[in-house]
Amino acid sequence: MLRSLLGFEWRKSNAHLLLLSKFLHPRTLDDFATSDAWKTVLGENPHQAIKRFLDQGVLMQADLRAQLDYKFKAVELKEMLKKRGLSVSGRKGDLIQRLIQADPQGMKQAVSGLTVLICSEQGREIAENYLANEKAQRRNVEQQVMGYLRQRKFKDASIAVAAYEAQQVFPRGIGIDWHHHDPAHDIAMLNAIFDGKPKILARLNESQSDTLRLVAGMMYLWGTNQGKEWLPPDFETELAIDNDAAARMFLFHATHRVNIANYKRSGVVKQVEILAAQDSCDECKKISGKRFKLNDVPELPYEHCTHEMGCRCTLLPIT
C-alpha cells in the first residue's frame, strides 16, 4: 500500500520485472497467492504488484485460447476432441483451436470462473527486454569467470560468481549467503580439478583435458551438470561417453580427492564404503558395498567403469 501511495516505479525493480516476465505465458493470481518468497523480494504482496500491472496496462485478461492452454494438458484436450469426434493430431495450439471452432460455447463453459492473465503487447516488450538483458549480463559474467579460470585465478572466479548470485532476485541454492561467500572451498575444488586427471580419461591428450577441466570448473561454480555451452563447437574426444559426462568425470574426480583429504583431516572417518548407482556397469557393481581404509580407496570415478554415462559411484563415510 505504501509503495502504491508513493508512486513506486516498479520498472526499476528486478523482482517486479521478473514477476511480470512470468506472465509471458498464461498465469493466474493463485499461482502466487501463497508465496512468501515473492512477497519478500517484491517488498509487497504479489497481488498488489499484479494489480498495478493490470492498472497500468502491462497485464490483461487472457483470451479463450490462452485460458484453455493454461487449464488443460494436451492429453485432456485430446479426450475432449475424442468426445466430439474430432481429430486429435497436431500440437497443443492446434488442439485448442479445433475445440474452439467446433464448440465455442462449450469451451467458454470449460473455463468459466477462471481468471487468467497474460502480458499485453507493452508488457511483453518490457518483460522480453528484461530477460534479454539478464541473459546478456549472465553471459558477460560467464566469460569473465572463464577468463579467470584460464589464468588459474580461482579466488577471483569464485568471487565473481558469488557477486552475480548475490544480485539475483532468487539466488541459487538454499541458505547460501552469497553476500558473505567464503571462496576457500571453491579454491580447493578448482585446484583439484585443474591439477588432476582421472584414470578413466587416460586416453585424452593435454589439450583435450585442459578444455574439459575448464568446463568442469564452470559446471562446479555455476552448479550445473550441463557444460555443452562452454565447449568449442567442434570439440571431440572419441571417448565412449559424451563431452558432458567427460567433464563430469573431472569434477567427480576432484570431489573424490577433496573428500578423502577432508576425511583424513577430520580424524573421525576411518573408512568409506563405495555405493554404485542402481544401473551401474558390472565393473562398478564389483566394488559396490565394499569398505576401504582411506589410504586404500579406489580412485573415483572408477577407472574400469564402462557405462555410457561414466562412473556414478559414491562414497559413504564410515565413522
Side-chain angles (χ1 to χ4, degrees):
M1 180 64 70
L2 180 60
R3 281 186 161 177
S4 179
L5 292 172
L6 295 178
F8 171 65
E9 181 46 71
W10 58 267
R11 288 174 178 80
K12 296 181 180 179
S13 165
N14 281 346
H16 286 76
L17 290 168
L18 179 61
L19 177 62
L20 178 63
S21 74
K22 299 301 179 182
F23 291 90
L24 286 169
H25 302 284
R27 302 295 290 267
T28 71
L29 287 173
D30 291 340
D31 292 336
F32 306 93
T34 60
S35 176
D36 290 334
W38 275 107
K39 185 175 182 180
T40 298
V41 298
L42 292 169
E44 62 179 342
N45 189 297
H47 285 191
Q48 183 175 343
I50 293 169
K51 182 180 183 301
R52 187 186 298 110
F53 293 157
L54 286 165
D55 290 343
Q56 296 187 14
V58 294
L59 281 187
M60 64 182 187
Q61 298 277 347
D63 60 17
L64 179 57
R65 185 186 182 94
Q67 289 177 306
L68 291 167
D69 185 24
Y70 175 85
K71 184 174 181 179
F72 297 106
K73 297 178 181 178
V75 65
E76 295 171 316
L77 295 169
K78 288 181 179 181
E79 283 299 317
M80 295 163 70
L81 286 164
K82 286 180 182 178
K83 290 179 180 179
R84 291 165 173 80
L86 300 171
S87 170
V88 296
S89 64
R91 297 182 178 182
K92 190 177 182 182
D94 299 327
L95 308 181
I96 292 172
Q97 186 60 34
R98 197 172 298 137
L99 283 166
I100 293 175
Q101 289 177 345
D103 186 7
Q105 291 304 316
M107 292 304 99
K108 290 178 182 178
Q109 184 61 34
V111 295
S112 176
L114 179 66
T115 301
V116 179
L117 304 176
I118 197 166
C119 284
S120 65
E121 184 176 346
Q122 178 191 6
R124 179 171 294 275
E125 181 179 359
I126 294 171
E128 289 178 345
N129 284 340
Y130 162 74
L131 292 178
N133 290 335
E134 288 296 298
K135 184 177 181 179
Q137 181 189 18
R138 166 73 179 241
R139 190 60 182 164
N140 288 338
V141 176
E142 287 180 359
Q143 292 296 327
Q144 180 186 34
V145 171
M146 288 184 73
Y148 286 142
L149 292 181
R150 289 191 179 97
Q151 300 172 63
R152 297 179 69 92
K153 294 182 177 180
F154 299 148
K155 182 178 180 180
D156 291 335
S158 174
I159 290 174
V161 173
Y164 171 84
E165 292 292 350
Q167 294 174 356
Q168 301 310 296
V169 176
F170 294 111
R172 171 167 52 90
I174 299 174
I176 300 177
D177 184 358
W178 292 104
H179 292 279
H180 301 91
H181 179 65
D182 184 354
H185 182 70
D186 290 350
I187 294 171
M189 278 293 299
L190 292 168
N191 274 315
I193 290 171
F194 280 78
D195 291 339
K197 181 178 179 179
K199 294 176 183 177
I200 195 174
L201 301 180
R203 291 171 51 193
L204 296 179
N205 60 41
E206 271 311 293
S207 176
Q208 293 170 325
S209 296
D210 285 343
T211 298
L212 288 172
R213 288 186 183 106
L214 178 63
V215 174
M218 293 293 285
M219 290 166 66
Y220 166 72
L221 287 172
W222 293 103
T224 178
N225 284 327
Q226 304 295 320
K228 293 179 182 177
E229 61 185 297
W230 299 305
L231 279 168
D234 58 346
F235 183 78
E236 295 182 1
T237 65
E238 298 182 358
L239 295 172
I241 57 178
D242 64 24
N243 293 332
D244 271 356
R248 284 196 296 272
M249 293 303 97
F250 273 100
L251 180 53
F252 184 8
H253 184 235
T255 302
H256 172 75
R257 292 171 59 197
V258 170
N259 284 343
I260 292 296
N262 288 339
Y263 294 155
K264 289 180 178 179
R265 279 195 296 270
S266 74
V268 176
V269 178
K270 302 299 183 182
Q271 291 181 308
V272 294
E273 181 178 342
I274 293 181
L275 300 176
Q278 187 174 4
D279 63 340
S280 288
C281 68
D282 291 339
E283 293 300 319
C284 287
K285 287 179 179 178
K286 289 178 182 178
I287 60 173
S288 184
K290 293 185 177 181
R291 293 187 177 188
F292 300 88
K293 294 181 180 180
L294 296 182
N295 289 329
D296 301 323
V297 183
E299 177 184 281
L300 295 183
Y302 192 43
E303 63 178 305
H304 301 299
C305 175
T306 59
H307 199 281
E308 62 182 7
M309 293 177 63
C311 177
R312 289 158 296 141
C313 294
T314 57
L315 289 182
L316 176 67
I318 308 299
T319 57

